[in-house]
Amino acid sequence: DRPTEPIFIGKGDGNVSFDVPAEYLTDRYKPLASDIQNRFSGGKTIPITKLSTIPDLSFPLQLGRDKAFSLFIPYHSKMAAKLIEIFMAAKSFDELLSLTVYARDRVNPYMFIYALSVVLTHRPDTRSLELPSHVEMFPSLYMDATVFGRAREESAVVQTGSRTPIEIPHDYSANDLDFEHRISYFREDIGINLHHWHWHLVYPFDGPMDIVNKDRRGELFYYMHQQILARYNMERLSNDMNRVVRLTNWRSPIVEGYFPKLDNILANRVWPPRPVNATLSNINREVEQISFDIEDLERWRDRIFNAIHSGFIINTAGQQVRLTESEGINILGNLIEASILSLNQNLYGSLHNNGHNAISFIHDPDNRFLENYGVMGDSATAMRDPIFYRWHAYIDDIFQEFKATIPSYNVQNLSFENVRVQSVEVSATGIPRNELATFWQQSDVDLSRGLDFLPRGSVFARFTHLQHAPFNYKITVENNGNQRIGTVRIFIAPRYDERGLPFLFREQRKLFVELDRFSVTLTRGRNEITRRSIDSSVTIPHEVTYRNLDRNRPAANSDAAAAFNFCGCGWPQNMLIPKGSSEGFQCQLFVMLSNGANDQVENAQVDGQTCDNASSYCGLRNARYPDARSMGYPFDRTPRDGVVTLQQFLTPNMAVQDVRIRFSNRTVAPLQNKVGSQQAAKPSSG
Ligand code: CUO
């Protein structure tokens, strides 16, 4: 009789409590045991088995409960890894439940939730539990801090049911005097930040080997972040901004500032801002046991470039490991990040992670002011800061440097014999053909689980996010061969650069944003393929991103409720299409059919619950990445000789269609009472 939801995360709904063995209470609460029991009695009680021995938690307990926890700090991630190992080792569900109840009031709460989330996602006996959305558990990581004071007032005065949502203003972290503020709607999008948090939850860089060592994880680290950059750049071009500039010089002041306006409730601090023109320095913080110099970053960088140009890395045994066409990118992804799968951290260090650390401690590199890390120090908040993209553009450029060393795709690598894509179009009701419509929409998120005050009951925050009208692709394919399986690959890219000149292929290829990838059976002759935008292999539905929006929905009655944990990874549906512009931002939609026989992965599906609704950026659960091609195919490599434009790149199994993304500056209200099954809404007038 297990709970369907891990109620030991967050506060439960008030009428379920644990029958905690008195021995488990911390010293502070032991004398109050019976009083606490009386206060919370009534309702459902879940018995907790008292374990005869509790595993040694002393290492994870080294971090105080009121201290900030960052996965990018090795000392912290090692502690979390230990906690994960302990929870994973529990022999039964009851033992796990007992252990986690014991740990909950002892371990740093943010580390506890992180470790528990990883464990619930990976243990066979907990995978079907619903993990609450991270924004519900820790709303302070995702929205303007002023919301919480107002939520407190609303919930103290107004009864449940009559409460009005607390509106989060659009311009809470800056105004238009800051050039970068134009795309704060992207950087601060709750769904995007949830995706990033969830991706790193599914792909931790430290922890038990069987959790970390997932199929092509290093390559996916490269690809998922490359796609974030492609999307960010398209968003920038939509807003008349230049493409993001790599953070190449680590000695000069950084012109972008960021003032997050978030509370760090867990560490009882505000999140430190970074003023304009702050400069990186050597990091030496005893409290986090972290020290490295900017020179270390430079040394690791030089060694990585050296390895790429020589075609091999040196492993810890001093042997050369070749960076091959198929394996090189995966090796480099793990090496540059670095994950525990790095083949030599002594030599190549941890460039990406320590870049996060150097930036996140820029305001207090030696801890003289006792300040915590900034938003770059947490995967739940890092994407809010413009510097995230400059840092990741730098990291991506290293991967691109490698991609330039492997053979380009020749015509044969790109073709699908006897298959011709004749036409492609996109259409949506009430919108001109080959146009995509974007607008603002409001949605609500329930804060009550993440607030620390009574009375209970839902209090909603109302935020405004980008949205687009759902649309269909119609693809016409001529198959002059036998019946075969094809893989449809759909991408979109901007057509013109910052100067208004058409992109050359060598630049445009890095801006292609994946929209979808799926298999089709091609019959002989003419095939008409229709596909809905909401079925994208990149995105997860709105109700999965925000999952618990509707407290009243029947439990576990929908796909969204089934096996959410892994599925919680995925780009938010509302951000599938960039904002575009009021004139109609000009793009090129690209469709390719590749030969399914070459794309197939053996043993791709090992169980029926692979959670495949966002496999492009997140892979599959318990299964291999479902596409045998290099991630990003066919745009992941420099073009073959003679190809200067996209048109010259095309083979008959590809087609390009000009499309416009037209933005209208209006806001659509939330769909009342239907939050649990919310569809992307169509724009209303006015
Ligand atoms: Cu996702 Cu730098 O890896 O944040």
Side-chain angles (χ1 to χ4, degrees):
D1 189 23
R2 287 175 196 167
T4 53
E5 188 182 355
I7 52 174
F8 41 103
I9 289 186
K11 298 186 169 61
D13 59 7
N15 55 17
V16 180
S17 58
F18 292 119
D19 190 4
V20 180
E23 294 84 345
Y24 278 22
L25 296 176
T26 55
D27 290 345
R28 172 71 188 91
Y29 297 125
K30 262 186 195 138
L32 308 170
S34 58
D35 174 48
I36 293 173
Q37 185 131 43
N38 289 335
R39 221 180 318 154
F40 293 104
S41 63
K44 192 177 170 195
T45 304
I46 296 174
I48 300 298
T49 317
K50 185 171 108 47
L51 300 177
S52 50
T53 49
I54 298 285
D56 180 8
L57 291 170
S58 56
F59 181 44
L61 286 174
Q62 286 181 13
L63 185 65
R65 279 178 58 76
D66 57 351
K67 295 288 181 286
F69 166 81
S70 167
L71 275 174
F72 289 109
I73 298 166
Y75 179 44
H76 293 182
S77 60
K78 294 276 172 229
M79 283 191 250
K82 182 70 190 166
L83 196 58
I84 291 168
E85 187 190 308
I86 291 168
F87 289 163
M88 287 302 286
K91 289 186 191 61
S92 64
F93 179 83
D94 279 350
E95 190 179 320
L96 174 70
L97 183 60
S98 182
L99 256 181
T100 49
V101 166
Y102 178 86
R104 191 187 186 286
D105 284 341
R106 292 179 166 79
V107 175
N108 175 283
Y110 198 53
M111 182 188 352
F112 175 79
I113 295 294
Y114 169 73
L116 184 57
S117 303
V118 171
V119 169
L120 295 181
T121 308
H122 289 87
R123 277 180 70 107
D125 56 351
T126 55
R127 261 195 247 125
S128 57
L129 291 183
E130 276 190 42
L131 199 59
S133 171
H134 203 237
V135 63
E136 277 201 327
M137 291 189 280
F138 299 113
S140 62
L141 295 174
Y142 295 90
M143 60 191 77
D144 177 17
T146 62
V147 166
F148 304 107
R150 289 186 287 152
R152 185 186 300 262
E153 190 176 320
E154 183 78 11
S155 72
V157 178
V158 184
Q159 290 290 319
T160 322
S162 310
R163 295 175 187 163
T164 25
I166 315 296
E167 282 213 25
I168 303 176
H170 216 156
D171 293 300
Y172 68 84
S173 66
N175 63 30
D176 287 335
L177 284 177
D178 176 33
F179 182 66
E180 294 294 327
H181 182 64
R182 290 185 196 186
I183 43 168
S184 62
Y185 67 88
F186 179 96
R187 289 186 278 105
E188 292 168 355
D189 184 83
I190 295 175
I192 285 182
N193 282 285
L194 280 170
H195 160 72
H196 190 237
W197 181 81
H198 227 117
W199 190 93
H200 284 280
L201 181 75
V202 177
Y203 294 99
F205 58 79
D206 200 345
M209 200 42 106
D210 54 339
I211 288 182
V212 177
N213 193 6
K214 294 196 168 82
D215 183 41
R216 295 168 76 180
R217 105 169 268 298
E219 184 179 9
L220 196 53
F221 171 78
Y222 137 76
Y223 181 58
M224 196 284 289
H225 290 89
Q226 187 275 332
Q227 283 289 294
I228 285 178
L229 287 168
R231 288 177 170 279
Y232 184 65
N233 278 329
M234 205 157 158
E235 212 67 60
R236 292 179 72 89
L237 290 166
S238 291
N239 287 283
D240 289 325
M241 299 167 82
N242 59 340
R243 278 167 284 168
V244 62
V245 177
R246 289 173 296 143
L247 188 70
T248 46
N249 188 332
W250 306 336
R251 307 275 177 177
S252 301
I254 296 174
V255 294
E256 292 83 2
Y258 187 65
F259 290 71
K261 312 289 188 294
L262 301 177
D263 266 348
N264 196 340
I265 295 175
L266 294 160
N268 302 306
R269 294 273 195 281
V270 294
W271 284 81
R274 186 184 60 258
V276 293
N277 291 327
T279 306
L280 296 169
S281 23
N282 299 340
I283 301 294
N284 186 8
R285 292 179 55 107
E286 191 141 332
V287 62
E288 286 96 4
Q289 303 188 10
I290 189 169
S291 64
F292 61 88
D293 293 350
I294 300 305
E295 263 188 31
D296 287 316
L297 299 178
E298 290 162 345
R299 261 192 294 275
W300 298 332
R301 171 197 66 196
D302 293 345
R303 289 171 186 163
I304 291 165
F305 273 102
N306 245 324
I308 288 170
H309 296 143
S310 349
F312 60 85
I313 60 140
I314 308 285
N315 68 12
T316 43
Q319 297 154 331
Q320 296 184 359
V321 180
R322 280 191 53 219
L323 297 171
T324 61
E325 186 179 333
S326 59
E327 289 299 311
I329 190 72
N330 193 44
I331 291 172
L332 282 173
N334 284 315
L335 186 98
I336 291 170
E337 185 180 6
S339 79
I340 54 168
L341 302 176
S342 165
L343 294 180
N344 196 344
Q345 277 209 39
N346 294 333
L347 195 55
Y348 304 103
S350 181
L351 180 61
H352 156 267
N353 285 350
N354 277 323
H356 273 269
N357 285 324
I359 295 166
S360 76
F361 286 125
I362 198 168
H363 55 281
D364 196 13
D366 56 10
N367 197 33
R368 72 180 63 182
F369 298 114
L370 310 177
E371 279 291 312
N372 294 324
Y373 54 81
V375 291
M376 272 290 272
D378 187 330
S379 60
T381 52
M383 288 184 69
R384 311 176 79 80
D385 188 333
I387 202 67
F388 171 91
Y389 305 88
R390 293 197 60 199
W391 178 242
H392 267 276
Y394 184 83
I395 296 295
D396 186 62
D397 187 61
I398 305 178
F399 292 123
Q400 299 298 341
E401 186 83 8
F402 167 71
K403 288 282 184 178
T405 68
I406 58 176
S408 306
Y409 294 118
N410 59 30
V411 170
Q412 197 197 340
N413 300 144
L414 298 170
S415 302
F416 188 2
E417 215 176 300
N418 293 323
V419 170
R420 174 174 291 274
V421 178
Q422 287 180 323
S423 67
V424 178
E425 66 169 54
V426 290
S427 60
T429 319
I431 293 163
R433 188 179 301 178
N434 292 321
E435 243 188 59
L436 300 167
T438 60
F439 49 94
W440 300 118
Q441 187 177 17
Q442 292 189 315
S443 287
D444 296 344
V445 63
D446 190 355
L447 302 174
S448 56
R449 193 194 294 270
L451 298 178
D452 59 353
F453 52 86
L454 298 169
R456 309 305 321 166
S458 296
V459 191
F460 286 94
R462 176 160 293 174
F463 58 101
T464 305
H465 56 82
L466 188 64
Q467 184 61 284
H468 58 273
F471 58 93
N472 289 332
Y473 307 94
K474 202 165 100 192
I475 304 160
T476 310
V477 182
E478 189 71 32
N479 173 20
N480 294 321
N482 294 327
Q483 179 169 311
R484 281 174 293 170
I485 304 286
T487 307
V488 182
R489 299 168 190 273
I490 308 179
F491 291 81
I492 196 167
R495 191 163 182 187
Y496 299 106
D497 69 9
E498 294 85 347
R499 303 160 301 171
L501 299 177
F503 272 112
L504 296 182
F505 184 77
R506 60 194 297 273
E507 285 304 313
Q508 194 186 22
R509 72 168 185 89
K510 293 184 235 166
L511 297 168
F512 270 99
V513 161
E514 183 173 343
L515 294 181
D516 208 345
R517 184 191 63 221
F518 56 96
S519 289
V520 287
T521 303
L522 294 172
T523 54
R524 220 184 144 78
R526 186 185 156 89
N527 291 261
E528 284 221 339
I529 302 164
T530 305
R531 173 85 168 178
R532 302 184 304 174
S533 60
I534 55 168
D535 294 327
S536 165
S537 66
V538 171
T539 60
I540 53 175
H542 196 85
E543 67 268 25
V544 177
T545 297
Y546 299 103
R547 232 235 338 110
N548 262 351
L549 279 173
D550 185 1
R551 277 294 166 75
N552 300 319
R553 74 173 161 68
N557 70 336
S558 66
D559 292 347
F564 160 73
N565 300 355
F566 198 108
C567 308
C569 181
W571 196 253
Q573 174 68 35
N574 65 290
M575 299 304 282
L576 178 67
I577 300 296
K579 183 177 162 200
S581 64
S582 50
E583 316 77 78
F585 182 62
Q586 296 187 56
C587 299
Q588 289 181 296
L589 183 77
F590 168 92
V591 172
M592 170 183 198
L593 263 99
S594 59
N595 189 344
N598 299 338
D599 303 336
Q600 242 162 30
V601 176
E602 274 175 44
N603 309 323
Q605 313 238 333
V606 297
D607 68 17
Q609 295 188 310
T610 48
C611 225
D612 59 358
N613 60 359
S615 67
S616 290
Y617 296 171
C618 296
L620 296 179
R621 192 173 74 179
N622 279 345
R624 298 180 61 195
Y625 191 80
D627 183 14
R629 305 282 187 171
S630 295
M631 295 181 196
Y633 173 82
F635 295 118
D636 64 307
R637 302 188 187 180
T638 51
R640 62 188 185 273
D641 282 349
V643 169
V644 177
T645 65
L646 175 62
Q647 213 58 41
Q648 292 166 343
F649 175 73
L650 302 182
T651 47
N653 55 321
M654 303 176 186
V656 169
Q657 172 65 52
D658 288 345
V659 295
R660 282 176 183 264
I661 305 173
R662 200 177 295 279
F663 170 72
S664 55
N665 193 7
R666 56 192 169 192
T667 305
V668 175
L671 299 178
Q672 294 295 343
N673 303 324
K674 290 188 71 180
V675 277
S677 57
Q678 197 160 0
Q679 301 284 320
K682 295 188 186 77
S684 64
S685 53

